[in-house]
Amino acid sequence: MPTKTTKNGMEWTVREGYEKVPDRFGPDNFLSGLNGRNYTLVKENRVRSVASMPASEISDSGIHIKHFKRGGYKDYIKHLFVPTKARTEWEVANALLNNDINTALPLALSEGKMSLLLITETVTRSEDLMEFCKVNFEGNLAEDKESEKRVLLDKLAVFIRDIHEKGFCHYDLHAGNILIRFKKDRAASDYDLYLMDLHSVKIFKSITIRKRIFNLAQIFNSLSSVMTQSDKLDFVNSYGSNAFGNITDVNELVRQIDVHSSGMRNTHYRSRLKRCLKESSAFSKKKVAGMKLFFRKGYDTDSLLKLIEKHSNILVNYDSAVIMKRDSKTVLTRHTFKDKTVQNVVVKQYRVGCPGCLIKNIFRGSAGRKAWVAGNGLRVYGFATPLPLALIEKKVLGIPTSSYLIMEEVKDSLEMDRYILKNFNNRLETSQCKEEEEEEEEEEEEEEEHLTASPSQGEEKISSLDSKPSLLDFKKKKAFINSFATTLGKMHSHNIFHHDLKTCNIMVKENDGSCNFTFLDFDKVSFSEKITVRMRVKNLTQINLSTPRRFNVADRIRFLKEYLTRCNLMDKKCDIVRAVVNLSKEEKILYVSLQGDVTEDW
């Protein structure tokens, strides 16, 4: 039973047996009050701070302290009528425990004028379910791991069904807000699930079908990297299809949940796209000497500004050793940078070359700003780019006249065209390689015959490429093709379009036998409402025309087939392939080698 008490002018609600808590903490000077104590700051942002303290006289398990910051007088007035987040968590936690649903035990609550404080007991031997799943169940799994995943997902489905049946709806129900608590050790299979972050939980007499689908969509979205279609069907079966009224077809239920999940994912990504232009937990901004500076927190702004000065001096002195590129629109220079994580950076200057461009900048913003948003946006979606550190804009009468993007230099990577030349240039073919290739090409023979039957003059040139790829390791080439097709398919599935998607704008890095792709020139990236077939054809043609002839027709067909499969576009295969062929036959192949630009005929 809770008791009411007042300490240092603060009113506290305290669980029986934990009366010492108010003597240890002051809500309105939370962080300063922790000085000198053994604690770990788990989270810190504009809304709240979370700290953990090890076992003490308060609790042998340790405690978690959530410090909610009030948002001003409007927030104060609002909470005269509705409970605060801290109060909501306190009440919901007690309600969950009374209904035999696991959550952290709430120990004390204080609601001060400036801030709010909630103390809970630490859930020992626990781990964030999302991180646990990513570490243990991503990728191809052995049979025992696959079995472990099925058991866990089954238990998770039953856990969520129990929450719903008892009238609780968590409006932020992702796997990161669920803990997996092992009863003995982390290697054991005996565990319980705990519901956390309860300020978004509402209590109802019954949970509607719409709310159930909404919660399951949140779970599917947060575990999208580990849940297959089969896992989703099993999950819904374990949850119980009888909870969805007239919708009894499990496949239809999964389809509806997937639609909601996709919408959530896109909404979440879009909301994060322009955080880099605002004050947030990761980014900041300020004005310095007529310049506007947007920067990633953790980097010294004086050092960033000095890079612009060095960049200008290099251009004046024309130091060709550090000038990477120079034309009428952009200039790139390379610099060393003293930082723990970043050693070398690139400064990319976007020039304004005509009065018309100045006028455009008034309405659309500078090219540098577009690159800053797009570079950080690609990272939000999970695509690799050079880490953008800062954007600096120079303005005259409020109009951007020049902008500078400072980003980390890509290390240990090669442009895709050069990577292909380096890794797939052996003309000797072993019999084993030939046999493997012939097996793979059997399925593609029909497509090749379709493309090369009665060709026009341009199509005949395309089909005249070597009939077999020159490979030392056919499997390596196949893995590379499939990996890039998957990456491009994922990009288009997120409605991301790169207007200049040539192989020289994609860096390749080998990592434990697989390839990672880093995208450059992200000022040419846009986030569309929908990627049309025409846009897909444009990107596919750009890749086709910038890929060295070391990749023959069979390789290109394999890539297109894998891409279309990933995008669920096999029904439009013939139209898309024909469009790519017709556009490609009018051009020559152009790519960059170690010796410079190379042009090849089909």
Side-chain angles (χ1 to χ4, degrees):
M1 293 294 293
T3 59
K4 300 282 186 178
T5 185
T6 301
K7 292 288 184 179
N8 301 321
M10 299 293 178
E11 293 184 357
W12 286 83
T13 303
V14 184
R15 182 174 294 277
E16 185 177 354
Y18 296 91
E19 289 78 8
K20 294 180 181 180
V21 171
D23 297 326
R24 304 291 190 271
F25 302 99
D28 289 335
N29 60 344
F30 169 65
L31 288 177
S32 60
L34 290 180
N35 287 337
R37 300 190 187 189
N38 183 16
Y39 78 96
T40 301
L41 189 62
V42 178
K43 185 176 183 179
E44 169 70 19
N45 57 35
R46 294 180 297 166
V47 179
R48 63 178 176 170
S49 305
V50 181
S52 66
M53 298 182 69
S56 64
E57 73 277 10
I58 297 176
S59 171
D60 292 338
S61 300
I63 59 173
H64 255 60
I65 310 112
K66 282 189 176 182
H67 174 246
F68 296 89
K69 304 165 189 176
R70 287 192 184 272
Y73 75 93
K74 290 183 179 179
D75 201 34
Y76 183 80
I77 293 173
K78 181 182 78 171
H79 290 143
L80 293 175
F81 304 96
V82 298
T84 63
K85 290 183 178 180
R87 171 67 62 180
T88 298
E89 286 217 29
W90 171 268
E91 293 176 351
V92 170
N94 284 297
L96 288 169
L97 293 170
N98 289 337
N99 282 275
D100 297 321
I101 298 173
N102 295 326
T103 191
L105 181 69
L107 306 181
L109 166 72
S110 179
E111 298 174 295
K113 293 181 180 180
M114 300 301 295
S115 57
L116 316 145
L117 205 62
L118 177 68
I119 315 292
T120 62
E121 192 171 58
T122 299
V123 181
T124 57
R125 300 189 304 279
S126 65
E127 191 171 343
D128 180 321
L129 180 62
M130 187 185 298
E131 291 303 317
F132 177 81
C133 288
K134 286 182 178 180
V135 170
N136 291 276
F137 303 129
E138 276 193 347
N140 296 323
L141 302 177
E143 188 174 345
D144 57 336
K145 276 292 182 181
E146 192 67 44
S147 177
E148 286 180 25
K149 183 177 75 167
R150 285 196 298 268
V151 171
L152 175 58
L153 291 177
D154 177 75
K155 194 161 189 172
L156 176 61
V158 173
F159 179 64
I160 295 172
R161 174 68 184 264
D162 187 43
I163 291 170
H164 286 166
E165 291 304 306
K166 291 174 179 176
F168 297 92
C169 181
H170 197 313
Y171 284 88
D172 194 20
L173 188 64
H174 56 77
N177 280 340
I178 297 174
L179 293 182
I180 177 169
R181 181 181 184 270
F182 300 94
K183 294 182 179 179
K184 293 182 179 180
D185 57 68
R186 292 181 186 272
S189 58
D190 193 10
Y191 49 79
D192 290 319
L193 299 176
Y194 280 65
L195 191 64
M196 307 299 291
D197 272 7
L198 308 178
H199 57 270
S200 297
V201 174
K202 301 292 183 184
I203 305 174
F204 301 94
K205 290 183 179 180
S206 63
I207 304 300
T208 64
I209 294 173
R210 184 176 180 180
K211 289 184 175 67
R212 292 173 190 266
I213 290 177
F214 174 75
N215 269 176
L216 296 192
Q218 290 177 313
I219 291 294
F220 281 18
N221 181 39
S222 61
L223 294 178
S224 60
S225 63
V226 300
M227 291 185 74
T228 64
Q229 197 67 16
S230 176
D231 291 331
K232 294 174 183 179
L233 291 169
D234 291 342
F235 190 95
V236 172
N237 280 320
S238 298
Y239 178 91
S241 58
N242 61 339
F244 298 94
N246 295 328
I247 312 174
T248 56
D249 185 346
V250 177
N251 288 291
E252 174 60 19
L253 281 170
V254 170
R255 189 195 67 79
Q256 290 192 26
I257 294 168
D258 274 338
V259 168
H260 282 77
S261 176
S262 178
M264 289 173 184
R265 188 158 50 249
N266 287 332
T267 299
H268 173 67
Y269 287 145
R270 299 284 172 174
S271 69
R272 295 179 60 192
L273 275 181
K274 293 191 177 181
R275 286 188 184 180
C276 58
L277 297 175
K278 305 174 182 177
E279 284 288 340
S280 64
S281 57
F283 299 96
S284 188
K285 62 179 181 177
K286 67 179 183 179
K287 292 182 179 180
V288 181
M291 295 185 291
K292 198 164 187 178
L293 174 64
F294 302 92
F295 61 97
R296 190 176 293 271
K297 286 184 176 178
Y299 296 93
D300 179 49
T301 54
D302 290 336
S303 298
L304 295 171
L305 290 169
K306 286 179 181 177
L307 287 173
I308 305 304
E309 184 179 345
K310 291 180 180 179
H311 172 87
S312 300
N313 291 336
I314 287 168
L315 297 185
V316 171
N317 298 323
Y318 198 79
D319 188 349
S320 58
V322 292
I323 296 176
M324 303 170 64
K325 178 183 177 182
R326 186 171 189 169
D327 58 34
S328 60
K329 293 184 178 180
T330 57
V331 183
L332 280 78
T333 56
R334 181 188 291 110
H335 307 264
T336 56
F337 190 69
K338 295 181 180 179
D339 183 80
K340 295 179 181 178
T341 57
V342 178
Q343 284 75 45
N344 295 304
V345 297
V346 173
V347 176
K348 186 171 185 178
Q349 179 185 358
Y350 296 87
R351 294 170 164 177
V352 178
C354 62
C357 295
L358 282 174
I359 296 172
K360 288 180 181 179
N361 283 353
I362 299 174
F363 302 99
R364 70 180 184 184
S366 66
R369 179 175 293 213
K370 181 180 179 181
W372 171 249
V373 172
N376 286 297
L378 282 170
R379 298 178 74 87
V380 166
Y381 281 88
F383 297 99
T385 68
L387 179 67
L389 305 184
L391 165 69
I392 299 172
E393 290 183 323
K394 291 184 177 180
K395 295 187 176 183
V396 175
L397 300 176
I399 303 174
T401 57
S402 192
S403 53
Y404 303 84
L405 181 67
I406 303 174
M407 52 191 165
E408 182 180 14
E409 184 179 23
V410 181
K411 298 182 296 183
D412 306 321
S413 301
L414 275 176
E415 292 90 341
M416 186 188 289
D417 41 15
R418 296 185 182 184
Y419 178 87
I420 290 171
L421 293 172
K422 179 181 178 182
N423 289 274
F424 307 122
N425 61 351
N426 195 299
R427 294 292 176 181
L428 298 175
E429 294 181 349
T430 65
S431 59
Q432 180 183 1
C433 179
K434 288 182 180 180
E435 290 173 3
E436 290 176 346
E437 183 182 353
E438 286 169 359
E439 289 176 3
E440 293 295 328
E441 289 179 351
E442 281 180 2
E443 297 180 358
E444 290 145 11
E445 187 175 329
E446 183 179 341
E447 285 93 335
E448 289 185 57
E449 289 177 356
H450 171 75
L451 288 176
T452 58
S454 302
S456 65
Q457 184 179 357
E459 289 172 324
E460 188 174 354
K461 289 182 180 179
I462 291 177
S463 66
S464 68
L465 296 179
D466 297 338
S467 61
K468 290 186 179 295
S470 300
L471 294 169
L472 182 63
D473 187 351
F474 176 72
K475 288 184 178 180
K476 182 176 181 179
K477 179 187 268 192
K478 177 188 171 186
F480 173 83
I481 289 171
N482 291 348
S483 181
F484 181 62
T486 300
T487 302
L488 182 58
K490 181 181 176 183
M491 178 178 283
H492 284 169
S493 296
H494 285 302
N495 294 321
I496 300 173
F497 181 67
H498 196 305
H499 294 261
D500 193 20
L501 194 66
K502 297 182 293 190
T503 53
C504 62
N505 285 332
I506 305 168
M507 305 295 290
V508 182
K509 180 179 180 180
E510 292 186 356
N511 185 19
D512 295 331
S514 62
C515 289
N516 296 331
F517 301 93
T518 299
F519 293 90
L520 306 180
D521 272 11
F522 34 78
D523 50 293
K524 296 181 176 65
V525 170
S526 61
F527 300 86
S528 307
E529 290 298 322
K530 184 180 179 180
I531 296 292
T532 63
V533 171
R534 185 176 180 179
M535 295 164 78
R536 293 177 190 272
V537 168
K538 180 178 178 179
N539 271 176
L540 293 170
T541 304
Q542 288 171 331
I543 292 295
N544 195 39
L545 288 171
S546 59
T547 299
R549 257 192 46 169
R550 298 281 169 81
F551 275 27
N552 62 18
V553 169
D555 299 322
R556 295 165 196 259
I557 292 294
R558 184 179 295 116
F559 165 74
L560 284 170
K561 185 176 180 181
E562 183 69 21
Y563 166 83
L564 295 172
T565 300
R566 294 286 178 179
C567 297
N568 296 318
L569 290 170
M570 286 301 287
D571 57 326
K572 298 181 180 179
K573 175 183 61 178
C574 292
D575 292 338
I576 291 175
V577 172
R578 187 179 294 109
V580 172
V581 169
N582 288 336
L583 290 171
S584 298
K585 69 184 182 182
E586 299 173 359
E587 305 286 341
K588 292 186 177 183
I589 297 173
L590 174 63
Y591 59 88
V592 183
S593 72
L594 294 174
Q595 288 74 39
D597 291 350
V598 175
T599 302
E600 290 182 338
D601 292 320
W602 286 106

